[in-house]
Amino acid sequence: MDTMDVIGVYYPTLDESPFTSEEDMKSHWFLFVGLLCYLLKDEMDSNLPTLKSRVGMGYQEDDVDKVLLPSFVGTKRGDCYSPEIEALYRTLIKKGSDEYPLCRVLASKLSDIEKLAVLLAYAAEKNRKYGQLFAGFICKSDKSVSPATVGICMDMARFFIPDASPVSLLSPDSYVNRVILNNKPDIYKNGGMSREFTLRGNVMGFIEGGYPVLSAMEPFSWILPEVSGDETVCLTSVRDELKKALENSEVVELCGSEGSGRRFLLSMADPDKIIICVDMKVIAESLTDEVMEECIGELIFASDSCGCIPYLWCQGGPSDYERSLRRFFTGLYKEVGVFVLGVDKPISDSIIGGCADAIYRIIVPEVTSHHQKTLWTEAAKDQGLSFKKGYSLDVLVSKYVMSPGRIFEVMNNVAAVNEKSTIDEKILEEQIRRCCSVQFGENATRLSSPFTWDDLMMSPESEKILRMAADRVKYRSTVNEDYGFAKKLPYGRGVAIVFYGPPGTGKTMAAQVLANELGLDIYRIDLSQVSSKYIGETEKNLGSVFEAAKNSNAILFFDEADSLFSKRTQVSSSNDKYANAETSYLLQKIEEYTGVSVLATNNLQNFDAAFKRRMTFMIPIELPDEETRIRLWESVFPEDAPLSSEVDVKIIAHVAELTGSSIKSAAVSAAYMAAATGRKITWEDLIAAIELEASKSGTLGLGTRLREAVLTGID
């Protein structure tokens, strides 16, 4: 039977019209592979009936003379070439369509011999009979199955590819072997033309499912084209700039802080594309060089087959995994038209080296308060929620400076616990604080904030200033954005408050009341951990504190701040020089911090004029007067405390000039004395407790004066 007759058996009718379905397409290609198998077997049988294979595993022939005769070599490569088979192959290629994954693979960067290798590998995977045929060609058992080999592929290529070469199939660095085939050389088995090959798992998954399935899933995540969001949320100019860079197939460095919306902007710049995010930290920490190469191959295939955009996410800075980033960069730059680096700060040229001619750098600016309000509204809408009527988004974005990523994360958490369609303000603030929680390690401790304005006993003037400080935080969005003052304040948009006054007057409580009013977490910075005798260590520790707090919306509370903010002096020694440097550095970090910094000190005179000028509010917390002491004594005992009716707190307040902290300590001590004997809290318990408190400051005779006042009454 000549070639045309064989083609007629396999393809009675064939035109150039597109395949009618994916099944139609696959059946035509399987017929083509079957045709080549038939031709190869027929050619082998006609050459030598007992010959099983000339291509990979040796000959099976009883007559050695026949093997050695020159005529036994059979036809030369190319003698079996058939223009009709090539025409059939070209027609099948032409009938393909991008809607079929297999056709996309065949239409990629592959040569004809490589496309044939893909067809053979796929046929062996899908139908056992092809594996049995391949096993027969290489002298295996009739019942066994085998993948195709390079030799089988080359023998079949003779029928329709005039100049077929096995070089790319044998080279481990070729595109087809790095991206499409599992075809690795083995010095002990299946070397050279006998080497077996199969399709990579991700390629097989793509052909079967239409998506570039990734076999090494841990470092990958996805952004699918169905990303929702209002375009008004995006920073339009940045989105358009990014879109243009992607259209020009440039390598893009997208710089922005964590949660600034880099991936969101990327998805909006080209909404039809799938973004594959690669966590470079996971790559560097857990993957071997071999697996790393597989990951690169999978990304290249995803880019070629579906136009996916690889996004290399460098969490915490690329210098932490420079080697892995450089390897990925080099591997992708050779094969992928465009990919994006997501970094917090611009990467150094030393990491990229000579890998790329140029990188297009785009800086993602921080979202304005206006954008944050839009984001909150959109995030609530996505979850089927709405804010209560009259709820002030201006106050929300003033108190909590949130990135786009965190806003959507918070609203997702709110939706999980919110029982109504309207957003509960308390639940919202709880989720915000949970999302913004920060770990300072040993450098800070979180304080509870149970106190309200009613608990705060301070002068009306000081309370007025403290309320002004709270308003400064609540309405900074209105003033900075709506009134335009942001243009006048390139830095120093945070709020820095100093509480000064004698010990025990309530400076810490005032900070806690402020935190409660604003709904913000407050952290006491442990100055014993921050301060260091070694040069430069204090600045380093302070830098880590402010870096950790950068996106936390936390109040930083520096108690006894004069230990760090001592008045700068003339430099008479190296110690003076470095002490001044520490003070200047801390002032700089407070100015840069966009949140609230609170400093408490007993000695305001230790601070110089430059320091005071940089503080937003200076609030005195003075010793309580008699009227204030009466209120403190009246409020210090809980309702359940068994206070004797004979006790008159006005007498105590008149005689004992105690601070709020001392009053609380005395009340607690008196309660323990009463509890130890199972009776009510009496005058004697209170006088003994007050004497104990007075002794701490060296005050003598206070108990005697109190007893006299109890007997004689207040004059």
Side-chain angles (χ1 to χ4, degrees), residues 289-514:
D289 289 348
E290 183 177 2
V291 177
M292 202 179 298
E293 285 299 323
E294 290 183 8
C295 290
I296 294 173
E298 291 177 353
L299 287 173
I300 293 172
F301 177 75
S303 175
D304 290 344
S305 61
C306 286
C308 297
I309 300 176
Y311 174 75
L312 308 187
W313 179 40
C314 303
Q315 180 185 9
S319 58
D320 298 335
Y321 24 83
E322 179 176 334
R323 175 179 170 273
S324 300
L325 180 60
R326 185 179 180 85
R327 185 165 186 170
F328 256 72
F329 193 101
T330 305
L332 292 177
Y333 188 71
K334 292 178 181 178
E335 305 288 353
V336 177
V338 60
F339 63 93
V340 180
L341 297 169
V343 294
D344 296 339
K345 299 177 182 178
I347 60 178
S348 63
D349 294 336
S350 62
I351 294 178
I352 301 305
C355 301
D357 298 331
I359 299 178
Y360 193 87
R361 179 172 295 157
I362 297 176
I363 307 295
V364 181
E366 294 184 2
V367 291
T368 64
S369 298
H370 170 72
H371 281 125
Q372 288 181 61
K373 287 187 284 187
T374 307
L375 281 165
W376 279 115
T377 303
E378 287 296 321
K381 184 179 177 181
D382 285 350
Q383 297 295 337
L385 300 173
S386 62
F387 290 95
K388 291 180 180 179
K389 186 177 181 180
Y391 184 81
S392 176
L393 286 174
D394 285 316
V395 173
L396 178 66
V397 300
S398 294
K399 289 164 56 176
Y400 308 105
V401 180
M402 303 284 286
S403 66
R406 283 190 167 181
I407 288 174
F408 280 90
E409 178 185 348
V410 165
M411 198 55 68
N412 183 61
N413 294 340
V414 169
V417 296
N418 203 86
E419 297 180 353
K420 301 179 181 179
S421 59
T422 54
I423 298 170
D424 185 284
E425 182 179 346
K426 184 178 180 181
I427 291 177
L428 175 63
E429 294 200 351
E430 285 177 353
Q431 294 302 326
I432 290 175
R433 293 165 77 166
R434 180 175 298 178
C435 179
C436 295
S437 62
V438 61
Q439 298 296 325
F440 288 101
E442 298 178 348
N443 291 331
T445 304
R446 184 177 179 273
L447 299 179
S448 61
S449 304
F451 303 113
T452 65
W453 293 106
D454 294 335
D455 299 309
L456 195 60
M457 303 294 178
M458 60 194 313
S459 68
E461 185 60 31
S462 294
E463 182 176 333
K464 179 181 177 181
I465 300 174
L466 184 56
R467 289 185 182 273
M468 289 174 59
D471 290 342
R472 182 85 170 224
V473 177
K474 289 180 182 179
Y475 302 109
R476 56 182 169 183
S477 167
T478 301
V479 173
N480 289 335
E481 302 294 338
D482 297 345
Y483 295 175
F485 274 88
K487 300 175 183 177
K488 304 291 184 180
L489 301 170
Y491 62 92
R493 298 187 189 181
V495 178
I497 304 169
V498 176
F499 294 123
Y500 63 93
T505 51
K507 296 184 288 294
T508 301
M509 179 186 283
Q512 291 170 301
V513 169
L514 179 65

Side-chain angles (χ1 to χ4, degrees), residues 12-196:
T13 60
L14 182 67
D15 55 38
E16 295 184 353
S17 60
F19 294 120
T20 58
S21 67
E22 186 168 13
E23 288 303 315
D24 179 47
M25 178 267 300
K26 290 180 178 179
S27 65
H28 276 76
W29 279 120
F30 286 153
L31 284 173
F32 184 73
V33 173
L35 170 63
L36 295 178
C37 289
Y38 175 85
L39 293 173
L40 179 58
K41 185 177 185 302
D42 183 64
E43 188 266 337
M44 290 169 58
D45 290 344
S46 63
N47 255 328
L48 192 63
T50 58
L51 179 63
K52 296 294 183 183
S53 176
R54 308 167 10 268
V55 295
M57 299 297 291
Y59 302 101
Q60 291 186 354
E61 171 57 48
D62 296 332
D63 191 338
V64 177
D65 291 338
K66 289 185 178 181
V67 176
L68 296 177
L69 288 175
S71 60
F72 175 77
V73 176
T75 57
K76 296 180 180 179
R77 189 169 302 281
D79 291 349
C80 296
Y81 168 75
S82 167
E84 293 82 8
I85 301 295
E86 182 178 9
L88 171 62
Y89 166 75
R90 302 296 174 197
T91 299
L92 293 175
I93 290 290
K94 190 175 181 180
K95 288 169 68 67
S97 169
D98 283 347
E99 65 178 302
Y100 306 128
L102 177 58
C103 293
R104 286 199 203 178
V105 176
L106 297 177
S108 59
K109 305 174 183 178
L110 304 180
S111 65
D112 288 330
I113 185 65
E114 293 166 349
K115 291 176 183 177
L116 176 59
V118 169
L119 290 170
L120 297 182
Y122 182 61
E125 184 78 26
K126 290 293 291 182
N127 195 320
R128 183 181 177 87
K129 76 173 183 180
Y130 296 107
Q132 289 177 325
L133 287 169
F134 298 157
F137 292 151
I138 56 177
C139 305
K140 288 189 176 181
S141 167
D142 292 338
K143 295 183 180 180
S144 65
V145 294
S146 172
T149 65
V150 176
I152 290 174
C153 188
M154 288 301 301
D155 263 18
M156 290 184 177
R158 293 180 305 147
F159 296 113
F160 67 103
I161 305 174
D163 301 318
S165 169
V167 173
S168 64
L169 296 180
L170 294 173
S171 171
D173 296 326
S174 65
Y175 174 87
V176 69
N177 286 334
R178 290 177 59 228
V179 178
I180 308 295
L181 300 177
N182 284 315
N183 181 13
K184 298 178 181 178
D186 190 325
I187 60 175
Y188 301 106
K189 179 184 178 182
N190 294 348
M193 300 294 284
S194 299
R195 190 188 304 167
E196 299 174 346

Side-chain angles (χ1 to χ4, degrees), residues 498 500-501 562 565-568 601-609 611-612 618:
V498 176
Y500 63 93
D562 43 301
F565 285 95
S566 57
K567 184 180 294 185
R568 285 173 285 191
T601 179
N602 302 331
N603 301 299
L604 186 62
Q605 62 269 23
N606 286 349
F607 298 94
D608 60 23
F611 166 83
K612 297 175 183 178
M618 307 280 291

